[in-house]
């Protein structure tokens, strides 16, 4: 807005200079002094930050204009309305707007010939000012709504992220519960039938020399109970045992192999690991898996790499997973949504993600180990 | 009380985040080491703390006051030793220190006293009237420090104060840092000389790509990678050696013998070299060499960031 | 206090920077010496002219005035003026118009009417000076005679004597010779060279890395700025004073009698140069500021008359010359020194101060936008 007012003033000032200096022919150096002083005053207005200082300067400048109008030439009054707008800009609310009416005050003091020009200049300036003001107000309102929408969106996506995390956590809990249930089942059913079989066999041994038939019958019972138990163990184990490809490092290997195959072996993928992989919790595996997938996808898309290395290392207090490629990399890493996503996942359990682009891309995920926390 | 609190500070230049959501606290009386490769965000962080740059996001507190709201307070309590020499060649050593101390509002006899004190402190008391162009690299570095401490700041930030100087001056500077610390100054020290940081810092943060990757005492940082050390002992005859007895030495985790070398894995924090050697002497092992391989900060840095500190 | 502290350091630093300092002194002095002696002929030949021809007519040959006019005529004839009496029916004005005479004087009882040629301006100006001096002397003597008739004789004989001719503008040393001209031109040039050191004020701190220390110290940018501007202005003004003194006492250049106004013009010019240099260092990034200032300084020196007088220029070149700040200063100084027009200092001072204020506010505006220094 300030710039528009300055532009308005400049345009009017040009007119005033033209009218009083070049066209009138009766110009003196006083006029030049007046123009320059006016320039100084008005350059000073945007320089000062405090509102009161601005108001004082605007008033000073207005007073100066009136003085010039009285002493030199009434044309100087043409510049007055813009100052009024400036005041309106500085004074808040409707009280400020009512100041606009003051624009008609100089009318009676003007010589007849100058009145139409004054009205023209004031009307045009007012139009420019009011038009700009309305548009700016609208823009402000729109900005405001946009900001509100943005924060709303942020809030929603945060809740979404939290929900996802919750789902992830509960998945883990469900798995734990499932294992618990299975071991309970083994204990309850198989344990009991084995105990039953054992008792029958003990009894059979005691009766072996006394009553052979009874003993054989008991032994038969024990055998069938054991058979049944064995079948149950088999069934239960089948339930409990997860498929090997679902387990962390195997799953990564599988992923890497599939990837190479899918892209006709245009690049090589290696998976290496070091340290006690058992120390990695399922939740950590999940994060590693997701971040690796993300990083590898990025590498394939942008890096022009021929080798992608996936490395898992269990340190004393951290679990480190690194995806590196031999591609073009970049000197300055600009964070995209992918990297932000990886960071958020890692941050959920107190970890960090470092992206380095100096020698190919290298995405390191560092997760603190459970015991160390 | 924390001399410095950095909370979720981000500094972006265009799209590039030089410092990325960093949080950090420095407690009173610490020598806090700031470790990172070039371009890791050390200098940007330091510049934000000393009000040269404004944080894009987050807040920084010096002595409990927000630096954005109380810039003068923060500035008066900080002394900064810039990475590059920042002295006037046309002014004498004395005038240099006097000028910079004067910027902190010192005047008259107090200014004179503090200026002399600072020059004396860095060992340039007898060179007060000389011009820096007659100084060696180390002396210039020391003058660079004197300019930052004459106003007795509570927090001194040293950005690579020992780059490119002779060992003697370097030692002198390290001793000065310790002395300043004893006098009650809290110090933030950045360097890419790992040994320096290991020698003097009480707490260390490893920075990479604008993030703090790990933070803690030397011991804590070293234990990130592993909590064991390896002791390799070369012996002439391995026949008499009792592996069982070696395993019973406190701290020893495992023992194996390979190619005339006994390789012991031991808990890093236990100092048991004496006992191990005593045991070997009892067993008449003819010891040729002893080598201890404990994790150092360099290897920690390499493991965590995948690159060397001085790349 | 901080401002003085900073200014003191800046002064000390500049004074000790002997190479730059010597350059600022030696360059103009040597140039002055070379140009001043080499171009002596160029300046004097342009001022030679044929005999001065003055025609006159006596209204009343018997009057007292006529008597002393004849005395006067005789004495100026000794100075090489050809004085020709005209008869009553000859038209003096027409003769002057035709170029027969440089000027025509009609001596009446109530005064002297003087017609100068508009072709032979230099000659007629000189003659006018002589005649008006005579008229002044004569009227003084006449006034004195009313008070004390006895002294009339002595007064009038003094009025008629040839000594006063020396006091008119005939003597060669009141018109600038080459040394005088270059003494003035070099002083204004070196005053303007201040903008080169000013463009290094902030830039230099950055190169020296001390900007970091200054920005970290608890001082405001405004204090730093003020200290530097004050010191830079003082040090460069000192250079100018030395150059002026050397030209005056070592080379005997004519600086007129009004040292106060001359120094004021030079001081404001230094101020303008400093502001300009500072503004440029903010407008252009890196070394661009100094090279822009360097280029502008050279062009301004060239067109402003540092190397040759530009007052005879016409059309485009005249306009170009008038844009140069050096021209304002040279113009003002010429008038002050050779025409005793002390008022001529005002336009130059006003321009200098206004532009200085303009560039300073511009710099402040840019400075406030910057994060560091």
């Amino acid at each position: 807005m300030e710039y528009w007012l300055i532009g308005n003033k400049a345009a009017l000032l040009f007119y005033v200079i033209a009218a009083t200096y070049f066209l009138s022919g009766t110009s003196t150096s006083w006029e030049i002094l007046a123009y320059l002083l006016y320039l100084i005053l008005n350059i000073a207005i945007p320089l000062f930050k405090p509102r009161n200082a601005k108001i004082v300067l605007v008033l000073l400048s207005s007073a100066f204009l009136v003085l010039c109008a009285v002493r030199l030439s009434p044309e100087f009054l043409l510049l007055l309305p813009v100052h009024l707008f400036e005041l309106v800009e500085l004074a808040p609310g409707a009280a400020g707007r009512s100041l606009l009416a003051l624009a008609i005050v100089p009318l009676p003091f003007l010589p007849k010939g100058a009145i139409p020009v004054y009205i023209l200049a004031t009307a045009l300036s007012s139009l420019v000012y009011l038009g700009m003001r309305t548009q700016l107000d609208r823009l402000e309102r729109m900005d405001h709504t946009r900001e509100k929408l943005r924060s709303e969106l942020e809030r929603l996506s945060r809740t979404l992220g939290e929900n996802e995390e919750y789902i992830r956590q509960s998945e883990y809990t469900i798995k734990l519960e499932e294992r618990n249930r299975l071991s309970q089942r083994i204990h309850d059913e198989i344990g009991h039938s084995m105990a039953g079989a054992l008792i029958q066999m003990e009894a059979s041994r005691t009766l072996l020399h006394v009553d052979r038939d009874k003993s054989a019958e008991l032994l038969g019972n024990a055998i069938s109970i054991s058979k049944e138990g064995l079948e149950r163990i088999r069934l239960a184990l089948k339930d409990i045992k997860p498929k090997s490809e679902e387990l962390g490092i195997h799953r990564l290997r599988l992923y890497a192999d599939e990837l190479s195959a899918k892209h006709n072996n245009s690049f090589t993928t290696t998976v290496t690991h070091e340290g006690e992989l058992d120390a990695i919790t399922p939740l950590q595996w999940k994060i590693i898996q997701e971040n690796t997938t993300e990083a590898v996808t990025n590498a394939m898309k942008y890096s022009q790499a021929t080798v992608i290395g996936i490395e898992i290392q269990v340190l004393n207090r951290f679990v480190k997973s690194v995806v590196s490629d031999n591609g073009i990399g970049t000197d300055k890493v600009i964070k995209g949504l992918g990297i932000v996503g990886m960071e958020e996942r890692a941050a959920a359990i107190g970890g960090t993600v470092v992206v380095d682009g100096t020698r190919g891309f290298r995405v390191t995920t560092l997760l603190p180990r459970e015991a160390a926390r | 009380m924390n001399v410095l609190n950095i909370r979720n500070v981000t500094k972006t230049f265009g799209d590039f985040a030089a410092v990325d959501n960093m949080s950090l606290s420095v407690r009173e009386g610490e020598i806090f080491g700031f470790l990172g490769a070039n371009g890791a965000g050390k200098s940007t962080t330091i510049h934000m703390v000393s009000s040269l740059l404004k944080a894009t996001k987050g807040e920084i507190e010096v002595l409990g006051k927000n630096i954005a709201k109380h810039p003068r307070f923060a500035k008066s309590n900080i002394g900064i030793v810039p990475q590059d020499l920042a002295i006037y060649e046309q002014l004498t050593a004395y005038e240099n220190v006097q000028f910079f101390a004067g910027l902190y509002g010192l005047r008259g006899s107090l200014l004179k006293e503090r200026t002399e004190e600072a020059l004396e402190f860095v060992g340039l008391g007898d060179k007060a009237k000389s011009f820096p162009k007659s100084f060696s690299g180390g002396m210039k570095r020391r003058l660079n420090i004197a300019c930052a401490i004459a106003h007795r700041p509570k927090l001194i930030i040293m950005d690579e104060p020992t780059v490119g100087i002779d060992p003697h001056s370097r030692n002198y500077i390290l001793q000065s840092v310790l002395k300043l610390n004893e006098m009650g100054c809290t110090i933030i020290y950045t360097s890419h000389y790992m040994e320096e940081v290991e020698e003097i810092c009480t707490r260390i943060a490893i920075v990479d790509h604008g993030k703090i990757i790990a933070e803690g005492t030397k011991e804590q940082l070293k234990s990130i990678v592993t909590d064991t050390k390896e002791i390799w002992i070369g012996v002439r005859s391995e026949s008499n050696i009792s592996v069982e007895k070696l395993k019973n030495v406190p701290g020893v985790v495992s023992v194996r013998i390979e190619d005339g070398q006994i390789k012991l894995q031991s808990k890093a924090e236990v100092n048991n070299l004496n006992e191990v050697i005593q045991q070997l002497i009892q067993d008449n092992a003819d010891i040729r060499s002893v080598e201890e391989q404990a994790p150092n900060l360099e290897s920690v840095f390499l493991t965590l960031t995948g690159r060397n500190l001085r790349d | 206090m901080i401002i003085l502290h900073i200014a003191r350091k800046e002064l000390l630093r500049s004074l000790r920077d002997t190479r730059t300092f010597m350059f600022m002194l030696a360059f103009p002095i040597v140039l002055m010496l070379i140009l001043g002696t080499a171009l002596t002929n160029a300046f004097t030949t342009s001022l030679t002219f044929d005999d001065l021809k003055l025609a006159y007519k006596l209204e009343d040959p018997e009057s007292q005035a006529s008597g002393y006019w004849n005395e006067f005529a005789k004495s100026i004839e000794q100075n090489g003026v050809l004085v020709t009496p005209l008869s009553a029916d000859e038209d003096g004005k027409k003769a002057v118009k035709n170029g027969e005479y440089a000027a025509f004087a009609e001596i009446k009882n109530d005064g002297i009417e003087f017609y100068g040629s508009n072709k032979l301006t230099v000659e007629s100006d000189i003659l006018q000076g002589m005649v008006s001096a005579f008229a002044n002397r004569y009227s003084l003597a006449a006034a004195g005679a009313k008070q004390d008739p006895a002294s009339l004789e002595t007064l009038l004989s003094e009025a008629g004597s040839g000594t006063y001719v020396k006091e008119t503008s005939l003597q060669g040393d009141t018109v600038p010779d080459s040394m005088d001209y270059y003494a003035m031109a070099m002083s204004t040039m070196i005053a303007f060279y201040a903008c080169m050191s000013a463009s290094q004020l902030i830039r230099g701190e950055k190169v020296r890395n001390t900007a970091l220390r200054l920005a970290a110290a608890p001082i405001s940018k405004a204090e730093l700025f003020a200290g530097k501007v004050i010191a830079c202005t003082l040090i460069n003004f000192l250079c100018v004073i030395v150059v002026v003194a050397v030209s005056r006492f070592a080379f005997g250049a004519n600086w007129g009698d009004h040292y106060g106004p001359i120094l004021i013009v030079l001081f404001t010019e230094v101020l303008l140069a400093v502001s300009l240099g500072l503004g440029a260092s903010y407008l252009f990034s890196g070394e661009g500021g100094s090279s822009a200032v360097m280029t502008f300084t050279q062009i301004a020196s060239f067109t402003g008359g540092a190397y040759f007088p530009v007052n005879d220029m016409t059309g485009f070149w005249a306009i170009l010359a008038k844009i140069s700040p050096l021209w304002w200063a040279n113009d003002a100084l010429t008038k002050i020194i050779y025409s005793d027009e002390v008022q001529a200092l005002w336009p130059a001072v006003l321009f200098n101060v206004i532009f200085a204020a303009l560039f300073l506010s511009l710099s402040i505006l840019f400075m406030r936008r910057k994060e560091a220094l």
Side-chain angles (χ1 to χ4, degrees):
Chain A
M1 193 67 207
E2 215 171 27
Y3 292 111
W4 288 92
L5 285 173
I6 291 171
N8 198 344
K9 269 194 275 194
L12 283 172
L13 184 65
F14 274 126
Y15 173 76
V16 171
I17 292 177
T20 56
Y21 191 77
F22 292 108
L23 301 178
S24 75
T26 58
S27 54
T28 62
S29 48
W30 282 109
E31 252 103 358
I32 298 177
L33 180 70
Y35 305 145
L36 290 172
L37 278 176
Y38 179 76
L39 268 179
I40 289 176
L41 273 174
N42 283 280
I43 287 169
I45 294 174
L47 282 184
F48 280 87
K49 282 230 176 91
R51 208 170 63 94
N52 286 340
K54 276 179 189 280
I55 292 181
V56 168
L57 279 171
V58 172
L59 289 175
L60 211 62
S61 176
S62 315
F64 177 69
L65 280 177
V66 172
L67 181 76
C68 289
V70 172
R71 299 296 292 271
L72 296 170
S73 157
E75 263 89 350
F76 279 97
L77 279 181
L78 291 183
L79 288 161
L80 214 48
V82 194
H83 287 341
L84 215 53
F85 303 149
E86 245 165 347
L87 278 182
V88 174
E89 272 297 293
L90 292 167
R97 296 256 160 135
S98 60
L99 279 173
L100 278 180
L102 286 176
I104 57 167
V105 170
L107 271 180
F109 303 104
L110 284 166
K112 271 241 166 67
I115 289 177
V117 185
Y118 180 79
I119 292 177
L120 173 71
T122 312
L124 282 179
S125 306
S126 310
L127 272 180
V128 170
Y129 170 71
L130 288 174
M132 279 310 293
R133 191 67 264 167
T134 2
Q135 293 304 321
L136 275 178
D137 284 348
R138 245 181 66 194
L139 210 63
E140 224 164 81
R141 276 201 303 278
M142 278 161 70
D143 262 350
H144 188 70
T145 8
R146 200 174 56 91
E147 191 56 31
K148 235 169 67 184
L149 285 174
R150 205 187 55 76
S151 61
E152 185 71 2
L153 188 70
E154 206 173 53
R155 194 182 62 78
L156 285 175
S157 57
R158 206 176 47 237
T159 2
L160 195 66
E162 277 165 7
N163 283 344
E164 268 171 5
E165 187 54 38
Y166 175 68
I167 290 167
R168 233 181 273 163
Q169 291 280 11
S170 44
E171 209 174 14
Y172 181 50
T173 327
I174 288 167
K175 273 186 196 155
L176 279 184
E177 274 171 8
E178 177 69 11
R179 276 185 208 169
N180 204 21
R181 198 178 61 76
L182 283 171
S183 66
Q184 195 70 41
R185 208 168 109 195
I186 293 170
H187 175 259
D188 286 350
E189 298 182 66
I190 307 167
H192 285 161
S193 51
M194 288 308 282
L198 208 63
I199 292 168
Q200 302 260 6
M201 284 191 276
E202 288 280 358
S204 149
R205 191 173 65 186
T206 325
L207 289 175
L208 188 61
H209 303 290
V210 186
D211 188 348
R212 274 183 165 267
D213 290 345
K214 190 75 183 164
S215 165
E217 190 194 326
L218 287 173
L219 208 56
N221 278 350
I223 288 169
S224 68
I225 290 173
S226 300
K227 259 188 189 162
E228 205 179 315
L230 209 63
E231 184 59 21
R232 275 189 189 159
I233 288 174
R234 216 174 56 80
L235 282 173
L237 282 182
K238 206 177 163 192
D239 272 358
I240 298 165
K241 194 186 171 196
K243 289 182 196 104
S244 69
E245 63 267 27
E246 281 174 8
L247 269 175
I249 193 76
H250 299 289
R251 199 166 155 194
L252 273 182
R253 287 229 167 89
L254 204 66
Y255 171 71
D257 291 344
E258 274 174 12
L259 213 63
S260 293
K262 230 196 287 181
H263 292 83
N264 303 322
N265 294 319
S266 62
F267 55 85
T268 336
T269 319
T270 57
V271 179
T272 53
H273 64 87
E274 193 182 309
E276 290 293 315
L277 287 185
D278 293 348
I280 305 175
T281 67
L283 186 54
Q284 287 173 337
W285 270 122
K286 190 168 168 51
I287 292 169
I288 290 171
Q289 177 75 39
E290 282 169 350
N291 278 9
T292 306
T293 315
E294 180 77 49
V296 171
T297 315
N298 279 346
M300 289 192 309
K301 260 196 237 166
Y302 307 116
S303 73
Q304 302 164 18
T306 54
V307 178
I308 297 176
I310 302 169
E311 182 196 340
I312 311 281
Q313 198 179 1
V314 180
L315 304 170
N316 191 36
R317 294 197 338 197
F318 279 107
V319 176
K320 184 175 89 165
S321 84
V322 181
V323 177
S324 53
D325 64 48
N326 63 347
I328 48 172
T330 170
D331 273 347
K332 287 201 168 168
V333 179
I334 309 296
K335 274 208 248 176
L337 278 178
I339 298 178
V340 173
M342 290 195 263
E343 279 179 347
E344 275 172 5
R345 278 195 284 271
I349 59 165
T352 18
V353 172
V354 178
V355 185
D356 176 44
T358 46
R359 283 168 300 181
F361 252 107
R362 184 186 167 89
V363 181
T364 311
T365 308
L366 283 169
L367 303 172
R369 273 176 64 173
E370 297 281 297
R373 282 168 85 190
Chain B
M1 184 181 138
N2 285 343
V3 174
L4 175 66
N5 279 325
I6 297 180
R7 280 196 213 102
N8 304 100
V9 165
T10 298
K11 175 73 192 177
T12 52
F13 298 107
D15 279 342
F16 173 68
V19 171
D20 191 358
N21 199 18
M22 184 185 282
S23 295
L24 178 76
S25 299
V26 177
R27 293 188 278 267
E28 190 167 2
E30 281 186 328
I31 302 180
F32 189 86
F34 222 40
L35 211 54
N38 284 335
K42 285 176 298 177
S43 287
T44 310
T45 311
I46 283 172
H47 287 180
M48 282 192 285
V49 171
S50 40
S51 304
L52 302 180
L53 295 172
K54 283 195 185 78
T56 315
K57 253 191 261 171
E59 50 184 56
I60 300 173
E61 278 175 6
V62 171
L63 294 167
K65 287 194 182 179
N66 189 311
I67 62 164
K69 288 178 194 141
H70 307 277
R72 280 206 185 214
F73 174 81
K75 284 174 167 186
S76 338
N77 282 296
I78 293 177
I80 181 161
V81 180
Q83 185 169 352
D84 305 298
L85 287 175
I87 47 180
Y88 296 102
E89 292 283 338
Q90 290 90 1
L91 302 188
T92 63
Y94 182 88
E95 285 163 346
N96 262 300
V97 178
Q98 188 198 32
F99 171 65
F100 288 115
L103 294 180
Y104 290 82
L106 299 179
R107 287 289 171 271
S109 58
L110 185 65
L111 177 59
K112 187 166 179 287
E113 194 180 299
R114 292 282 171 84
T115 305
E116 281 162 3
E117 178 189 286
L119 281 171
E120 210 56 61
F121 184 84
V122 297
L124 292 175
D126 52 337
K127 298 275 181 190
K129 291 211 168 78
S130 312
F131 287 93
K133 60 171 167 271
S134 66
F135 285 8
S136 70
M139 284 158 83
K140 283 184 189 171
R141 286 270 158 203
R142 272 141 63 186
L143 177 58
N144 205 27
I145 294 176
C147 290
I149 58 170
H151 62 286
R152 290 194 183 165
K154 293 226 169 56
L155 174 63
I156 300 174
I157 302 174
M158 297 186 155
D159 198 356
E160 311 265 2
T162 55
V163 169
I165 57 171
D166 58 291
H168 174 72
S169 278
R170 180 182 188 152
N171 234 354
Y172 196 101
I173 288 176
L174 292 185
Q175 291 311 313
S176 314
V177 173
L178 290 173
K179 214 155 68 179
L180 280 169
N181 185 241
E182 269 165 35
M183 286 158 61
C185 294
T186 307
I187 290 157
I188 295 179
Y189 192 93
T190 85
S191 176
H192 40 274
Y193 295 108
M194 196 69 76
E195 320 81 67
E196 285 180 5
V197 172
E198 240 185 298
E199 190 182 330
I200 62 168
C201 294
T202 53
R203 220 149 56 86
I204 298 160
I206 293 181
V207 202
D208 195 30
H209 291 278
K211 292 175 186 172
I212 301 231
I213 293 183
E215 185 190 341
T217 61
K218 281 173 276 204
E219 289 73 26
Q220 284 170 338
L221 287 184
K222 285 177 191 168
S223 78
I224 283 177
V225 172
T226 169
D227 56 359
T228 61
K229 62 183 175 188
E230 294 239 315
I231 304 170
W232 292 5
I233 302 165
V235 290
R236 179 162 287 173
S237 66
E238 44 198 84
S239 48
N240 301 337
I241 293 161
S242 150
V243 173
E244 282 310 308
K245 278 185 187 163
L246 278 178
K247 274 187 181 165
N248 286 337
V249 172
V252 173
V253 179
S254 70
V255 179
R256 60 187 197 281
I257 299 176
E258 280 171 18
D259 319 326
Q261 272 201 326
I262 304 166
K263 297 186 174 175
L264 288 155
Q265 212 183 7
S266 164
K267 287 219 158 61
E269 70 271 16
V270 186
N271 191 0
N272 50 10
L273 201 53
N274 268 339
E275 286 94 323
V276 169
I277 289 173
Q278 251 165 26
Q279 183 59 49
L280 286 174
I281 290 170
Q282 270 179 27
D283 289 349
N284 287 325
D286 193 358
I287 300 179
R288 322 298 310 276
S289 66
V290 177
E291 201 179 331
E292 193 180 64
Q293 298 194 319
N296 58 14
L297 285 183
E298 189 91 46
S299 64
V300 173
F301 190 85
L302 178 67
T303 314
L304 290 182
T305 67
R307 49 181 178 165
N308 282 314
L309 199 49
R310 262 168 282 180
D311 271 355
Chain C
M1 273 313 270
I2 288 284
I3 296 178
L4 289 184
H5 186 71
I6 292 165
R8 184 181 156 274
K9 180 232 60 175
E10 202 64 35
L11 283 176
L12 211 58
R13 203 185 55 72
S14 313
L15 286 174
R16 296 237 184 96
D17 189 0
T18 34
R19 234 186 304 165
T20 317
F21 198 58
M22 287 319 290
F23 168 79
M24 289 291 278
L25 290 179
F27 178 66
I29 291 173
V30 170
L31 208 59
M32 197 189 294
L33 197 63
I34 293 171
L35 291 176
T37 42
L39 298 179
T40 317
N41 293 335
F43 274 78
T44 43
T45 47
S46 68
L47 281 164
T48 53
F49 38 74
D50 297 335
D51 285 344
L52 296 170
K53 288 183 187 165
L54 172 68
Y56 72 94
K57 214 185 255 182
L58 295 174
E59 192 188 48
D60 178 8
E62 300 311 310
S63 75
Q64 209 173 34
S66 306
Y68 293 105
W69 169 265
N70 289 331
E71 194 103 343
F72 165 71
K74 246 183 256 165
S75 81
I76 62 173
E77 270 186 323
Q78 286 164 7
N79 282 299
V81 182
L82 217 66
V83 190
T84 319
L86 295 183
S87 57
D89 53 328
E90 273 178 288
D91 189 347
K93 292 183 204 171
K94 205 171 179 184
V96 169
K97 255 187 198 162
N98 293 338
E100 289 169 42
Y101 304 102
F104 165 64
E106 203 167 355
I107 293 90
K108 299 178 176 168
N109 275 341
D110 52 346
I112 299 171
E113 272 181 45
F114 183 88
Y115 304 96
S117 161
N118 52 5
K119 288 173 192 141
L120 306 165
T121 44
V122 181
E123 287 88 338
S124 83
D125 279 355
I126 294 172
L127 290 171
Q128 184 183 9
M130 290 173 164
V131 172
S132 63
F134 165 76
N136 286 340
R137 279 291 174 93
Y138 178 75
S139 58
L140 180 75
K146 274 183 197 157
Q147 300 282 317
D148 180 10
S151 67
L152 181 65
E153 277 304 310
T154 45
L155 281 170
L156 283 183
S157 64
E158 258 174 42
S161 82
T163 51
Y164 67 89
V165 176
K166 205 175 168 189
E167 293 168 43
T168 68
S169 30
L170 189 61
Q171 289 293 323
D173 64 356
T174 48
V175 178
D177 73 8
S178 57
M179 187 55 87
D180 295 338
Y181 181 79
Y182 284 114
M184 178 189 77
M186 287 300 128
S187 303
T188 54
M189 185 182 80
I190 211 64
F192 199 69
Y193 269 29
C195 70
M196 291 202 278
S197 55
S199 73
Q200 286 296 326
L201 275 182
I202 303 291
R203 176 89 198 134
E205 298 284 0
K206 277 189 196 153
V207 173
R208 236 181 278 116
N209 300 316
T210 37
L212 206 136
R213 278 228 159 92
L214 294 175
I219 52 169
S220 69
K221 284 183 191 169
E223 286 167 331
L224 179 70
F225 210 71
K228 279 182 163 286
V229 169
I230 290 172
C232 190
T233 310
L234 283 181
I235 197 87
N236 282 291
F237 186 52
L238 187 70
C239 280
V240 174
I241 290 180
V242 172
V243 170
V244 170
V246 168
S247 69
R248 172 74 188 83
F249 297 111
F251 303 149
N254 178 17
W255 280 96
D257 305 318
H258 309 284
Y259 283 99
I262 287 172
L263 290 182
I264 289 174
V265 170
L266 289 172
F267 180 78
T268 53
E269 200 199 336
V270 171
L271 192 67
L272 165 69
V274 170
S275 322
L276 186 79
L278 210 54
S281 75
Y282 274 105
L283 273 177
F284 302 92
S285 58
E287 288 299 331
S290 341
S291 37
V293 164
M294 190 80 158
T295 317
F296 181 73
T297 311
Q298 291 312 326
I299 293 174
S301 303
F302 190 77
T303 61
Y307 305 117
F308 54 88
V310 289
N311 278 343
D312 306 337
M313 298 284 174
T314 49
F316 172 72
W317 287 103
I319 294 170
L320 198 67
K322 283 177 191 178
I323 300 173
S324 169
L326 267 75
W327 186 84
W328 317 330
N330 284 337
D331 189 49
L333 291 188
T334 315
K335 284 180 181 157
I336 295 171
I337 298 171
Y338 303 111
S339 317
D340 291 342
E341 279 182 54
V342 176
Q343 291 84 350
L345 87 108
W346 292 116
V349 168
L350 210 64
F351 271 129
N352 286 344
V353 170
I354 284 169
F355 279 101
L358 210 68
F359 282 114
L360 274 182
S361 12
L362 208 67
S363 312
I364 291 169
L365 207 67
F366 275 100
M367 178 192 71
R368 282 217 315 227
R369 285 229 201 112
K370 289 216 170 170
E371 212 165 3
L373 262 182

